[in-house]
Amino acid sequence: MLRHSELQGFKIPKVKDKLITTLFADDTTVFLSEFDKFTDLELILNKWCIASGACFNVNKTEVTPVGNPSYQRDVISTRCIHPSQEPLANEIHIAQDQEPVRVLGAWIGNHIDQTTIWSPVMDKIKDNLNRWNKSHPTLFGHRLIIQMVVGGMTQYLAKVQTMPKQVEDDLQKIIRNFMWDGKKAPVNINTLHLPIRQGGVKL
């Protein structure tokens, strides 16, 4: 319904079709141009809810203004996508500048701090490694734990969000500290990446 509607959505250079929505499970992301009316979107969603028997949760709706800084400020201050339109309902949250909004595990927003996005993940990694360390794993046990915890907790976010250099450096320190129980490392991290026959542990 959304893709065949009159909503303009985003027009991407050299791309024939407009970008209007992405869907995954019960999450829906809709892209509106400044000339699209939110009320038109609501009518479409209400029709879909009636047909499907589902219920659209307006209280979970978040809006991230996209465009030049002046337009973003206007949307935040007036709650209007366009000056000719009615303000958005108070139940709808409009993300402020530097405020991240989560979309399918990634965080989007205007001027958001990528390092801050990674902070909860880094804390979880530290907590998990501390718990595992209480079992006094062997050198190869450390390797498996690092691959499972650090690799498992960073792979998706690094793919969709990218990883800042600061976070990468901090992870290296965490890995090195865990690998050698906080003691001075007898070999550098590059050596640990080597195959066992070459003196590494295939980290």
Side-chain angles (χ1 to χ4, degrees):
M1 294 177 70
L2 285 169
R3 293 189 175 96
H4 297 289
S5 69
E6 296 299 320
L7 296 173
Q8 295 183 31
F10 285 11
K11 295 180 180 179
I12 303 174
K14 298 182 180 180
V15 176
K16 180 180 178 181
D17 297 327
K18 62 184 178 182
L19 175 60
I20 188 66
T21 187
T22 57
L23 307 170
F24 182 81
D26 61 347
D27 289 327
T28 302
T29 302
V30 180
F31 303 87
L32 299 179
S33 78
E34 62 176 313
F35 304 108
D36 288 327
K37 294 182 179 180
F38 193 83
T39 51
D40 291 342
L41 172 62
E42 287 182 306
L43 288 174
I44 295 171
L45 293 176
N46 288 336
K47 286 182 181 179
W48 179 83
C49 288
I50 293 172
S52 65
C55 181
F56 186 73
N57 194 340
V58 178
N59 292 328
K60 287 188 176 181
T61 301
E62 294 183 294
V63 173
T64 300
V66 177
N68 62 61
S70 176
Y71 174 74
Q72 294 172 21
R73 289 192 296 269
D74 288 344
V75 172
I76 292 172
S77 62
T78 66
R79 301 187 62 82
C80 295
I81 296 177
H82 191 272
S84 64
Q85 299 180 22
E86 292 293 319
L88 298 174
N90 291 328
E91 295 83 6
I92 297 174
H93 176 69
I94 300 178
Q96 304 293 306
D97 192 42
Q98 299 183 338
E99 179 185 355
V101 173
R102 190 170 189 179
V103 178
L104 299 180
W107 296 89
I108 64 170
N110 297 305
H111 307 109
I112 58 175
D113 183 359
Q114 295 293 335
T115 304
T116 302
I117 298 298
W118 278 89
S119 293
V121 178
M122 300 292 281
D123 290 339
K124 287 182 180 179
I125 289 173
K126 292 176 184 177
D127 290 342
N128 273 268
L129 292 182
N130 286 335
R131 283 196 296 270
W132 276 105
N133 213 26
K134 293 178 181 178
S135 64
H136 305 291
T138 64
L139 182 65
F140 288 98
H142 277 93
R143 181 199 70 179
L144 293 174
I145 294 167
I146 288 170
Q147 291 173 337
M148 176 179 63
V149 174
V150 180
M153 290 187 175
T154 60
Q155 190 174 37
Y156 178 76
L157 191 59
K159 181 73 173 179
V160 299
Q161 196 80 38
T162 72
M163 182 182 291
K165 184 64 168 60
Q166 180 62 52
V167 173
E168 185 179 344
D169 292 342
D170 290 344
L171 274 177
Q172 291 283 12
K173 293 177 183 177
I174 291 171
I175 291 172
R176 187 164 55 248
N177 185 67
F178 176 74
M179 197 73 188
W180 304 111
D181 293 324
K183 301 174 184 177
K184 184 178 179 180
V187 296
N188 62 43
I189 195 72
N190 292 328
T191 301
L192 295 178
H193 292 160
L194 296 174
I196 296 174
R197 290 184 178 181
Q198 297 180 28
V201 293
K202 296 182 67 176
L203 182 62

